[in-house]
Amino acid sequence: MQERAVLAGGCFWGMQDLIRKRPGIISTRVGYTGGDVPNATYRNHGTHAEAIEIVFDPAVTSYRNILEYFFQIHDPTTKNRQGNDRGLSYRSAIYYVDEVQKRVAEETIADVDASGLWNGKVVTEVEPVGDFWEAEPDHQDYLEKRPNGYTCHFPRADWVLPKRQTADVQSVGSTATEGTSRPLPLGRSGSQPS
């Protein structure tokens, strides 16, 4: 069995390079989605976001796990920007394929906001998936072909997303947060503040 995920989080080169290496990822391709131009290209993609289409094995990794990694490798609190890249093409977005993915996306965003791992609130759009226009061959696996090429994405080693505690969980026995520590918020550079 295979499932599909479509995400936008800035320049698609770095997103693809990191996500393709995760367990359970069967294939990835980069392209354009969420906008207004049919047959979008790198030179003419109108209001589309640069995005990555992911095919994954749900027996090995979950959609939630993919989203947690997505929120770890890009800054979801900057509107229409990642690193030095600015503009609508570089927005943060989740394009869900069904209502289950929509619910998981909304829950994950709520968990990110509640966690304090980022200094601001998540601005990631959650929209139904539309047409996905595959990018030109030169953009596919870009950082595999150019290992020292540009990227503004990187894993944050100590970034672990806790799930929010619900009233039901906290009302049973002792509080759900006893004995746990809360991670420090990340700065805009993605490093832990000192």
Side-chain angles (χ1 to χ4, degrees):
M1 180 179 199
Q2 298 178 353
E3 291 185 25
R4 176 183 184 227
V6 179
L7 307 172
C11 177
F12 46 33
W13 298 336
M15 293 283 295
Q16 182 181 37
D17 190 55
L18 293 172
I19 289 174
R20 83 165 127 230
K21 297 172 184 172
R22 304 290 293 175
I25 303 304
I26 297 166
S27 66
T28 60
R29 65 181 182 145
V30 298
Y32 315 96
T33 195
D36 59 353
V37 175
N39 302 306
T41 65
Y42 188 74
R43 298 275 179 232
N44 181 26
H45 57 268
T47 60
H48 286 295
E50 288 193 8
I52 177 172
E53 180 184 64
I54 304 157
V55 176
F56 66 99
D57 180 348
V60 178
T61 192
S62 67
Y63 184 64
R64 166 73 185 217
N65 183 272
I66 291 169
L67 292 184
E68 287 183 14
Y69 191 66
F70 168 69
F71 285 116
Q72 181 193 119
I73 65 174
H74 88 292
D75 183 347
T77 68
T78 55
K79 187 172 175 98
N80 300 331
R81 177 182 176 199
Q82 286 300 307
N84 295 326
D85 296 324
R86 296 173 187 256
L88 199 55
S89 299
Y90 305 109
R91 66 187 179 269
S92 177
I94 298 169
Y95 299 100
Y96 58 88
V97 300
D98 58 27
E99 289 302 310
V100 172
Q101 282 192 356
K102 179 182 181 184
R103 180 184 49 77
V104 171
E106 290 169 344
E107 289 172 359
T108 307
I109 288 171
D111 289 344
V112 172
D113 277 338
S115 74
L117 288 167
W118 290 103
N119 287 332
K121 290 292 185 188
V122 171
V123 297
T124 303
E125 299 172 5
V126 178
E127 300 290 336
V129 71
D131 291 330
F132 185 91
W133 305 101
E134 185 171 353
E136 298 81 352
D138 190 47
H139 295 288
Q140 305 299 327
D141 305 312
Y142 185 86
L143 291 174
E144 291 262 308
K145 300 170 197 168
R146 295 167 189 85
N148 296 317
Y150 171 77
T151 185
C152 57
H153 298 91
F154 58 95
R156 291 154 176 92
D158 296 329
W159 197 97
V160 177
L161 180 61
K163 289 188 179 175
R164 288 171 293 129
Q165 302 301 315
T166 64
D168 293 336
V169 172
Q170 289 181 348
S171 66
V172 177
S174 61
T175 62
T177 57
E178 284 181 5
T180 61
S181 61
R182 183 178 172 167
L184 296 173
L186 293 174
R188 287 282 181 239
S189 67
S191 61
Q192 290 287 348
S194 38

